[in-house]
Amino acid sequence: MSGTQALVIGGALSAAAALAHLACVFVGVPAYRFMGAGEKMARAAEAGKVQATVVTLAIAGVLFVWAAYAFSGAGVIARLPFTKPALITISAVYLARAASFPLLKPAFPENAQTFWRVSSGICLVIGLMHLYGLIARWSAL
C-alpha cells in the first residue's frame, strides 16, 4: 500500500466517523445509544439540551478537518497550511486515544465496554493509516 492510499483511507475513515457523529444529531437519541455514547449524552439529547448537539457537532467538525488534512497530504485536494505538523498531530491523537482508553474509561463510566473496544480499535486503524501515510509521503509534504 502506498502512502497516498493510506492517507486516502485514513481520510475516508475520518470522514465516515464524522458522518456517524452527525447521524447522532439528525437521528437523535436512538443513534446516541446505538453508538454507545453513554446514557448521560443520550438523556441530554432526549431532554433537548443543546450541549449534546454542540459537543457532537464539534467532534464531527474536527473529524472533517482531519479528513481534509489526510486528503491534502495524499495530494487529492490542494495543500492545506501546516499539512505535515497537522498530520503528525492527528496521527498522535488517534493513536493516543486508541491506547489510553483504560485511563479514559473511569471518567466516562456510562459508556459501554463495546463502545470502548470498538472506538479504540477504530482509532487505532485510522491512526495507523495516517502514520503510515505520513511516513511514506514525508519528503512530499
Side-chain angles (χ1 to χ4, degrees), residues 84-119:
K84 190 183 280 188
L87 288 173
I88 292 168
T89 303
I90 292 163
S91 300
V93 170
Y94 271 127
L95 294 172
R97 168 54 184 81
S100 66
F101 85 91
L103 301 173
L104 293 170
K105 233 173 105 170
F108 302 94
E110 70 279 356
N111 289 12
Q113 182 68 20
T114 302
F115 166 83
W116 289 109
R117 289 185 180 165
V118 170
S119 64

Side-chain angles (χ1 to χ4, degrees), residues 18-116:
L19 290 172
H21 282 80
L22 289 180
C24 289
V25 172
F26 293 107
V27 172
V29 177
Y32 279 99
R33 287 195 173 110
F34 176 77
M35 301 285 188
E39 200 53 33
K40 185 177 177 182
M41 280 292 277
R43 281 195 215 123
E46 201 167 45
K49 294 188 178 181
V50 73
Q51 178 186 2
T53 301
V54 168
V55 168
T56 306
L57 289 174
I59 293 169
V62 167
L63 291 170
F64 277 129
V65 169
W66 288 3
Y69 269 99
F71 295 143
S72 175
V76 173
I77 64 171
R79 182 63 49 100
L80 295 173
F82 310 109
T83 297
K84 190 183 280 188
L87 288 173
I88 292 168
T89 303
I90 292 163
S91 300
V93 170
Y94 271 127
L95 294 172
R97 168 54 184 81
S100 66
F101 85 91
L103 301 173
L104 293 170
K105 233 173 105 170
F108 302 94
E110 70 279 356
N111 289 12
Q113 182 68 20
T114 302
F115 166 83
W116 289 109

